[in-house]
């Protein structure tokens, strides 16, 4: 279902079913997905709905469609890991809600502060423009999942409350403030685990950590968020499907 509690669109529902079949190898790697006519008949929907469902799986790197050759199930090496496509930035809460998985958030730090030079540069702010400094532990189905360090300009996201942090910041920003996101810039790097990682993600001092740095841009082109998401090396992966068409 969506953030507003509406029913999940039919194409997403079908994508979820097809994804499950791929993961449990009902459709094994290197085989072909049933053709669109058969899927239209099975799900009793339009061909456009089936195309949208297959489009989601293509974006996730699970299938590859080629005109005249059908839709092939890719030999996806990360299918058993928690995988997010790098083009996805709807927010972790929405992502996990769509997957019907339980996500909670523990607020470790929430304060307003003046930005240092790095944050000023990332968010295009002056030193007098305050930001929210947020550290959250995202807990997936009872287990530590991601440690997020987030900075947002106070003047762009007014009246942010702890209750928003415990549920979904993006839901507040998009639905209550009416702010639209148009893109995100991301960099991926490996790092040594910090004391925070060791404490909250249960990392060993010698464990590597995967860090995703992200700047999210709103519709007018100005950045509204800079974040660093710290991931245990054995918990989560990010994928990007690069196919020449």
């Amino acid at each position: 279902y969506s953030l507003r509690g509406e029913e999940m669109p039919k194409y997403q529902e079908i994508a979820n079913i097809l994804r499950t079949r791929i993961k449990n190898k009902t459709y094994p790697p290197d085989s072909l997905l049933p053709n669109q006519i058969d899927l239209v008949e099975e799900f009793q929907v339009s061909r456009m709905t089936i195309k949208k469902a297959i489009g989601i799986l293509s974006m996730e790197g699970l299938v590859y469609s080629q005109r005249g050759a059908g839709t092939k199930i890719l030999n996806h090496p990360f299918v058993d890991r928690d995988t997010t496509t790098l083009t996805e930035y709807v927010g972790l809460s929405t992502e996990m809600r769509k997957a019907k998985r339980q996500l909670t958030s523990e607020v470790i730090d929430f304060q307003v502060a003046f930005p240092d030079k790095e944050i000023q540069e990332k968010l295009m702010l002056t030193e007098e423009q305050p930001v929210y400094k947020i550290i959250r532990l995202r807990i997936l189905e009872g287990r530590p999942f991601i440690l997020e360090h987030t900075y947002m300009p106070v003047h762009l996201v007014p009246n942010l409350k702890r209750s928003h942090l415990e549920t979904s910041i993006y839901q507040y920003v998009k639905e209550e403030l009416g702010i639209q996101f148009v893109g995100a810039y991301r960099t991926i790097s490996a790092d040594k685990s910090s004391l925070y990682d060791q404490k909250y993600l249960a990392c060993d001092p010698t464990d590597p950590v995967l860090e995703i740095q992200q700047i999210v841009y709103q519709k007018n082109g100005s950045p509204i968020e800079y974040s660093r998401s710290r991931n245990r090396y054995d918990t989560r992966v990010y994928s990007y499907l690069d196919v020449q068409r």
Side-chain angles (χ1 to χ4, degrees), residues 42-152:
E42 176 184 352
F43 293 107
Q44 293 295 295
V45 294
S46 69
R47 195 159 180 170
M48 181 57 68
T49 299
I50 295 298
K51 282 185 176 180
K52 283 185 176 182
I54 293 173
I56 290 175
L57 302 181
S58 294
M59 287 292 294
E60 294 175 356
L62 295 174
V63 302
Y64 172 56
S65 298
Q66 192 166 17
R67 187 179 295 275
T71 301
K72 188 174 184 179
I73 312 300
L74 295 179
N75 185 13
H76 201 299
F78 312 120
V79 75
D80 294 325
R81 301 277 296 279
D82 275 298
T83 305
T84 293
T85 57
L86 282 171
T87 52
E88 181 74 68
Y89 55 94
V90 295
L92 192 63
S93 298
T94 300
E95 181 186 340
M96 293 305 164
R97 188 179 290 114
K98 286 179 180 178
K100 298 184 177 179
R101 304 183 70 184
Q102 184 185 20
L103 180 76
T104 56
S105 299
E106 176 187 337
V107 181
I108 297 167
D109 191 15
F110 178 37
Q111 59 178 285
V112 173
F114 290 110
D116 62 21
K117 290 200 177 296
E118 181 189 12
I119 304 304
Q120 289 171 41
E121 182 181 327
K122 295 286 196 297
L123 292 176
M124 297 171 60
L125 299 173
T126 67
E127 60 183 358
E128 293 89 8
Q129 292 178 294
V131 295
Y132 298 108
K133 178 183 176 183
I134 303 159
I135 303 178
R136 291 190 298 174
L137 176 64
R138 315 306 295 275
I139 301 166
L140 184 63
E141 295 170 347
R143 299 182 62 184
F145 191 49
I146 294 177
L147 187 62
E148 292 179 348
H149 301 253
T150 304
Y151 301 86
M152 305 182 90

Side-chain angles (χ1 to χ4, degrees), residues 162-184:
R162 181 174 286 266
S163 58
H164 300 134
L165 276 58
E166 292 170 343
T167 52
S168 171
I169 297 175
Y170 281 11
Q171 181 177 351
Y172 171 66
V173 170
K174 289 181 175 181
E175 295 195 6
E176 295 190 38
L177 298 182
I179 294 171
Q180 295 182 358
F181 298 164
V182 295

Side-chain angles (χ1 to χ4, degrees), residues 14 16-17 24 35 37 50 72 129 131 182 211:
I14 294 168
N16 289 345
I17 293 169
N24 66 22
N35 66 52
I37 295 173
I50 295 298
K72 188 174 184 179
Q129 292 178 294
V131 295
V182 295
E211 181 179 87

